């Protein structure tokens, strides 16, 4: 692999190797730029992934201390686990499921379309759908998303058959097995899915898209990317001119190094990104880097979620096949007559027995609980994914007591459910139950949200530097050569699973960044 | 937790105490069809952990002692319904929460339990389910897998057709 000197101040330095960071890296090296990527986790190859929920969790997950506070169920159910994220090359996408809906046009204008919602910090995005469409196309092509650009639809697995039939009987129309970023047939040098059901444990077969099987190896092949694994950024440093000039990071042995850089891009996902910017506070940026607006860490969003499990007289075997290959769109519309603004998707979800026992009724016990466990093979699952309200008080801060293995303050994630979130979730639970009852469910269970897989909003995008942390290109308002390349920059959450939009925003960012470099601004 | 109030070095406890914890584990997560073996393995894993975590060891010892006093008997001999009531009365204690979570954690990761429930575990080495029934559900019709061509209402109410109106009424009933 290429090696750059620590003193080489011509490199672009990217922190994080998930969809955000890896997409940016590939675009930059393809245009001849030198890139150093820091990834806190190790390289784990697909063949080393394990078909075992607990072992895979240990192998791939960010397990450093964190704290969940607030009225959300996670603060009582799993107070040490506000989020479920990866710490591994490829990031959380090594074990994502792969649904890739786009935002709808109005979801870029929630303040205008939803109006004033009290105790919510709704704001319109500084870009619109039309501007993002070409990048959505490019992202779908990069991921090989099913149902798009000539990629075939996924076949129906058992869990989908239940969801889709229930949807049809309820009068819903807009259901399908995707768009889903897993190959049905060979594409981009990768095979079609084996329907093995292990996906949130890392896909051994490589049928599922992730940066580990696509952007990272492609970028390494150019000879312009140096990937430093087990390397955790602990500070972004500024020069006397106020621009970012490097990053201090801790290597696998805990030894600190400093890499110089011309441009720094942060893609650590919406908890670690504000955490690093807050930890990097310095003279001139006493409240954290790029935080003159005071919005850094605020407006944390994680989607309104929950799961409906339904038990049937007959077998389902939800654990077989792609675990999220089913989506119902009808409720994703904005229809205030339902008693809330925004919308939600209903998505297939399947879990292995260990996870099912942990999340179906957190901390449940007794005969009713075990009777649900015994109905496992006759159970179908549906996950709710809806737009939650951004709020200034829902935020990531640095803990004053909890520290990580490096002695740095751990992140605290505070989240209070907004009344809109609660109304939406109740509606979704009710519709989910009706959907399953329409195809013969004999018992349903409302499960609360799991540690958040979708983490958004903590460095929001805004037209004016007074209202947010970055501009529409993810460039920090306060520091022109500091970019944020992950879901932190979302101004609002929309109903859609976020990763396609993260990639589209980063593709647009990469173009802008190269243009700025060409004209000599960067 | 042995009778002389000391955990043994290898984390094993005396058989009487294991039996008590097995009874508690079964009361927490009753599966009448399951033999004792998985409960036993669960308890052994918990005790192994307690043998290197003094705080856990104390918590379990104190909790067991208190339960024995309350029931007036060796817990292995207390009828299941009484044990259930005893545990319910202690639902808010740290002893209960800790024991419950540890039992669930180990029991539902036990392969004999998986087999009894019907969860097969690893599948990649068997070629996944592509040719082994990922789509074998036959009690419902085959649904459409492509997206619908019908227009999608992004803002406003679902357009109501006679069919979905009927379906809505049925499911609201
Ligand atoms: C179980 C699960 C299922 C999901 N399914 C879907 C889905 O179906 N559809 C969808 O759209 N989304 C899904 N998601 C969400 C998706 O995984 C994320 O949106 C996506 O991975 C975010 O990409 P990212 O690059 O911003 O961050 P990540 O993928 O989280 O990558 C961030 C990387 O940065 C590294 N890092 C962080 N801080 C530092 C630091 N200080 N120094 C060095 N490295 C650092 C981390 O180790 C990590 O590898 C799912 C998530 C989960 C947990």
């Amino acid at each position: 692999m290429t090696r750059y000197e620590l003193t080489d101040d011509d490199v672009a330095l990217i922190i994080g190797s998930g969809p955000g960071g890896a997409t940016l890296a590939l675009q930059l090296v393809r245009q001849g730029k030198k890139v150093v990527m820091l990834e806190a986790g190790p390289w784990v190859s697909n063949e080393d992934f394990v078909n075992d929920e607990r072992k895979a969790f240990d192998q791939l997950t960010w397990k450093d201390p964190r704290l969940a506070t607030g009225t959300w169920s996670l603060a009582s159910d799993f107070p040490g686990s506000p989020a479920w994220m990866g710490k591994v090359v490829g990031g959380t996408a090594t074990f994502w499921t792969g649904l890739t809906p786009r935002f709808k046009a109005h979801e870029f204008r929630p303040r205008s379309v939803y109006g004033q919602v009290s105790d919510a910090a709704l704001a319109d995005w500084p870009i619109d759908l039309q501007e993002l469409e070409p990048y959505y196309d490019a992202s779908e092509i990069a991921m090989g998303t099913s149902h798009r650009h000539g990629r075939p639809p996924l076949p129906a697995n058992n869990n989908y058959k239940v969801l889709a039939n229930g949807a049809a009987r309820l009068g819903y129309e807009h259901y399908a097995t995707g768009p889903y970023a897993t190959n049905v047939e060979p594409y981009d040098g990768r095979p079609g899915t084996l329907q093995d059901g292990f996906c949130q444990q890392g896909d051994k077969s490589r049928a599922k898209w992730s940066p580990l099987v696509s952007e990272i190896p492609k970028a390494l092949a150019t000879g312009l990317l140096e990937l430093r694994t087990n390397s955790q950024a602990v500070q972004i440093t500024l020069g006397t001119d106020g621009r970012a000039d490097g990053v201090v990071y801790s290597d696998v042995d805990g030894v600190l190094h400093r890499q110089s850089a011309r441009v720094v891009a942060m893609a650590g996902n919406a908890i670690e990104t504000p955490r690093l910017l807050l930890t990097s506070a310095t003279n001139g940026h006493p409240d954290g880097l790029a935080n003159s607006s005071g919005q850094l860490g605020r407006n944390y969003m994680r989607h309104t979620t929950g799961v409906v499990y339904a038990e049937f007289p007959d077998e389902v075997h939800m654990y077989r096949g792609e675990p999220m290959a089913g989506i119902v769109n009808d409720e994703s519309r904005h229809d205030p007559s339902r008693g809330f603004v925004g919308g939600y998707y209903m998505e297939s979800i399947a879990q292995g027995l260990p996870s099912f026992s942990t999340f179906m009724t957190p901390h449940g016990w007794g005969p009713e609980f075990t009777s649900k466990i015994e109905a496992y093979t006759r159970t179908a699952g549906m996950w709710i994914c809806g737009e939650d309200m951004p709020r200034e008080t829902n935020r990531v801060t640095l803990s004053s007591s909890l520290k990580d293995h490096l002695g740095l303050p751990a992140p605290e994630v505070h989240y209070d459910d907004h009344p809109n979130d609660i109304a939406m979730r109740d509606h979704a639970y009710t519709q989910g139950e009706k959907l399953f009852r329409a195809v013969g469910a004999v018992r349903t269970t409302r499960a609360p949200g799991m540690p958040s897989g979708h983490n958004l909003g903590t460095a929001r995008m805004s037209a004016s530097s007074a209202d947010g942390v970055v501009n529409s290109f993810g460039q920090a308002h306060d520091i022109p050569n500091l970019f944020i390349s992950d879901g932190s920059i979302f101004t609002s959450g929309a109903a859609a699973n976020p990763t396609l939009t993260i990639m589209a925003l980063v593709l647009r960012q990469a173009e802008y960044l190269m243009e700025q470099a060409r004209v000599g601004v960067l | 937790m042995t009778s002389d109030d000391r955990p043994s070095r290898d984390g094993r406890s005396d058989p009487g105490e294991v039996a008590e914890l097995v009874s508690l584990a079964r009361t927490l997560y009753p599966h009448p069809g399951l033999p004792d073996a998985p409960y036993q393995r669960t308890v052994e894993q918990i005790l192994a952990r307690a043998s290197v975590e003094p705080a856990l060891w104390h918590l379990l010892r104190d909790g067991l002692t208190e339960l024995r006093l309350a029931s007036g008997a060796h817990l292995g001999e207390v009828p299941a319904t009484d044990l259930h009531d005893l545990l319910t009365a202690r639902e808010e204690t740290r002893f209960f929460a800790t024991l419950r979570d540890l039992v669930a954690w180990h029991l539902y990761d036990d392969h004999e339990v998986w087999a009894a429930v019907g969860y097969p575990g690893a599948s990649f080495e068997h070629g996944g389910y592509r040719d082994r029934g990922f789509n074998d559900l036959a009690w419902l019709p085959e649904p459409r897998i492509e997206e619908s061509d019908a227009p999608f209402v992004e803002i406003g109410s679902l357009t109501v057709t006679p069919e979905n109106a009927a379906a809505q009424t049925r499911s609201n009933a």
Side-chain angles (χ1 to χ4, degrees):
Chain A
M1 187 166 57
T2 318
R3 299 214 138 271
Y4 296 112
E5 296 292 328
L6 288 173
T7 51
D8 189 337
D9 58 9
D10 192 35
V11 302
L13 196 151
I14 300 175
I15 302 164
S17 66
T23 296
L24 182 61
L26 180 58
Q27 295 309 305
L28 297 188
V29 296
R30 276 188 171 155
Q31 305 198 49
K33 204 125 184 60
K34 301 193 281 186
V35 175
V36 173
M37 175 179 275
L38 302 176
E39 167 52 56
W43 181 292
V44 181
S45 303
N46 293 70
E47 33 309 354
D48 295 328
F49 290 158
V50 226
N51 270 198
D52 180 297
E53 292 186 311
R54 299 273 169 78
K55 293 190 180 116
F57 184 87
D58 266 357
Q59 183 184 39
L60 306 173
T61 306
W62 187 286
K63 289 175 294 181
D64 297 2
R66 284 176 175 161
L67 198 64
T69 62
T71 64
W72 60 338
S73 55
L74 287 173
S76 49
D77 288 344
F78 306 103
S81 304
W84 184 10
M85 290 182 184
K87 187 180 194 176
V88 64
V89 173
T92 312
T94 55
F95 52 85
W96 77 319
T97 43
L99 271 175
T100 57
R102 295 183 179 194
F103 278 29
K104 303 185 209 315
H106 72 264
E107 289 176 319
F108 290 95
R109 297 185 299 118
R111 176 65 184 81
S112 305
V113 176
Y114 305 164
Q116 172 73 43
V117 176
S118 58
D119 290 327
L122 282 174
D124 292 348
W125 291 54
I127 50 169
D128 61 18
L129 177 62
Q130 219 184 345
E131 256 176 285
L132 212 54
E133 263 164 356
Y135 304 98
Y136 268 141
D137 286 336
S139 302
E140 287 160 350
I141 290 166
M143 293 183 183
T145 286
S146 75
H147 298 78
R148 299 281 180 272
H149 312 287
R151 311 308 318 146
L154 278 136
N157 64 26
N158 291 344
N159 209 18
Y160 175 75
K161 289 186 192 183
V162 179
L163 182 80
N165 276 289
R169 290 203 195 160
L170 217 57
Y172 290 147
E173 171 64 28
H174 296 277
Y175 53 85
T177 52
Y180 195 85
T182 290
N183 290 348
V184 181
E185 50 188 38
Y187 175 74
D188 200 20
R190 295 180 287 114
T193 174
L194 288 173
Q195 302 285 0
D196 58 276
F198 285 89
C199 164
Q200 305 192 2
Q201 293 68 37
D203 176 23
K204 291 176 79 71
S205 80
R206 304 169 70 251
K208 176 172 305 293
W209 173 86
S210 88
L212 179 68
V213 297
S214 184
E215 282 70 13
I216 300 279
K218 286 172 187 168
L220 287 171
T222 65
L224 284 169
L225 170 67
E226 183 186 348
L227 169 63
R228 296 186 195 152
T229 55
N230 300 298
S231 298
Q232 183 167 338
V234 297
Q235 188 187 19
I236 297 171
T237 58
L238 300 186
T240 44
D241 58 358
R243 294 161 72 101
D245 66 355
V247 171
V248 179
Y249 67 96
S250 163
D251 72 11
V252 66
D253 300 315
V255 177
L256 296 184
H257 308 271
R258 183 176 171 280
Q259 173 68 50
S260 298
R262 178 168 303 270
V263 180
V264 174
M266 182 63 201
N269 207 330
I271 294 176
E272 292 309 314
T273 287
R275 178 182 179 220
L276 183 68
L277 297 182
L278 289 167
T279 334
S280 300
T282 176
N283 294 341
H285 295 266
D287 303 320
L289 289 193
N291 194 20
S292 65
S293 66
Q295 292 296 313
L296 180 64
R298 295 185 187 273
N299 309 304
Y300 169 74
M301 295 170 288
R302 43 91 51 166
H303 279 140
T304 293
T305 79
V307 177
V308 178
Y309 289 108
E311 184 182 323
F312 293 89
D314 300 298
E315 299 289 320
V316 178
H317 300 286
M318 65 169 164
Y319 57 85
R320 299 178 186 169
E322 288 296 331
M324 207 170 245
I327 185 165
V328 182
N329 300 349
D330 298 71
E331 299 288 359
S332 68
R333 70 194 192 279
H334 166 60
D335 177 4
S337 74
R338 291 172 300 182
F340 53 88
V341 300
Y344 62 87
Y345 289 96
M346 303 163 117
E347 303 179 348
S348 284
I349 189 167
Q351 290 179 314
L353 185 65
S355 295
F356 180 68
S357 74
T358 303
F359 297 118
M360 176 256 292
T361 303
H363 312 296
W365 68 286
E368 192 190 344
F369 181 88
T370 50
S371 71
K372 290 179 179 176
I373 295 280
E374 294 195 355
Y376 172 71
T377 62
R378 292 180 284 110
T379 299
M382 185 210 87
W383 192 63
I384 299 158
C385 184
E387 176 163 7
D388 59 344
M389 291 296 106
R391 308 179 80 176
E392 291 210 339
T393 47
N394 286 350
R395 62 190 290 211
V396 174
T397 54
L398 301 177
S399 172
S400 51
S401 49
L402 201 62
K403 299 208 183 317
D404 71 4
H405 62 291
L406 299 170
L408 294 170
E412 270 184 34
V413 185
H414 182 92
Y415 188 96
D416 297 320
D417 285 318
H418 189 278
N420 196 77
D421 306 340
I422 296 170
M424 178 187 287
R425 187 164 44 237
D426 282 348
H427 190 271
Y429 276 140
T430 306
Q431 290 306 109
E433 288 165 350
K434 282 188 201 165
L435 182 154
F436 284 131
R437 298 248 175 219
V439 279
V442 292
R443 177 162 61 170
T444 56
T445 301
R446 296 180 173 196
M450 291 172 269
S452 315
H454 301 172
N455 296 278
L456 307 166
T458 50
R460 73 178 353 188
M461 180 186 285
S462 63
S464 149
S465 61
D467 303 331
V469 179
V470 297
N471 66 17
S472 82
F473 298 102
Q475 180 179 34
H477 286 303
D478 300 344
I479 304 173
N481 68 337
L482 175 63
F483 287 80
I484 300 181
S485 315
D486 60 26
S488 310
I489 66 180
F490 283 28
T491 310
S492 65
N497 312 52
T499 311
L500 186 78
T501 304
I502 293 174
M503 189 191 261
L505 290 169
V506 171
L507 287 174
R508 182 169 174 274
Q509 171 181 78
E511 245 178 54
Y512 170 81
L513 200 157
M514 288 310 300
E515 183 53 29
Q516 296 264 297
R518 236 181 327 265
V519 301
V521 182
L522 285 177
Chain B
M1 277 172 290
T2 48
S3 43
D4 64 354
D5 254 15
R6 258 195 338 249
S8 60
R9 271 176 162 263
D10 61 2
R12 294 222 162 72
S13 219
D14 72 78
E17 194 174 63
V18 171
E20 288 188 297
L21 282 163
V22 165
S23 296
L24 290 177
R26 205 183 256 290
T27 306
L28 286 165
Y29 295 101
H31 292 283
L34 268 191
D36 270 348
Y39 291 106
Q40 203 122 19
R41 282 190 290 273
T42 295
V43 164
E44 271 157 20
Q45 289 181 79
I46 295 171
L47 288 175
R49 188 159 153 187
S51 75
V52 294
E53 278 181 33
L56 177 60
W57 181 76
H58 275 290
L59 189 70
L60 292 179
R61 188 197 60 172
D62 295 350
L64 281 177
T65 308
E66 192 275 325
L67 270 178
R68 268 181 222 128
L69 281 175
S71 68
H74 181 274
L75 299 176
E77 271 125 49
V78 180
T81 47
D82 294 355
L83 265 191
H84 184 91
D85 293 345
L86 282 168
L87 287 175
T88 305
R90 285 157 184 75
E91 235 182 313
E92 300 306 320
T93 64
R94 218 155 57 78
F95 164 72
F96 175 87
T98 306
L99 184 65
R100 175 200 58 201
D101 289 358
L102 283 171
V103 170
W105 184 260
H106 292 293
L107 187 67
Y108 295 119
D109 208 26
D110 188 289
H111 290 211
E112 192 176 344
V113 177
W114 291 6
V117 172
Y119 174 59
S123 79
F124 180 78
E125 65 224 53
H126 308 297
Y129 294 101
R130 191 176 52 196
D131 307 315
R132 293 194 309 134
F134 81 97
N135 59 353
D136 65 358
L137 186 151
W139 51 270
L140 285 167
E142 283 302 315
R144 164 168 60 73
I145 57 174
E146 297 88 4
E147 293 167 298
S148 167
D149 291 332
F152 182 78
V153 183
E154 295 196 350
I155 299 183
S157 298
L158 284 178
T159 329
V160 180
T161 64
E163 299 93 275
N164 78 24
Q168 298 269 12
T169 325
R170 251 199 328 277
S171 60
N172 283 332

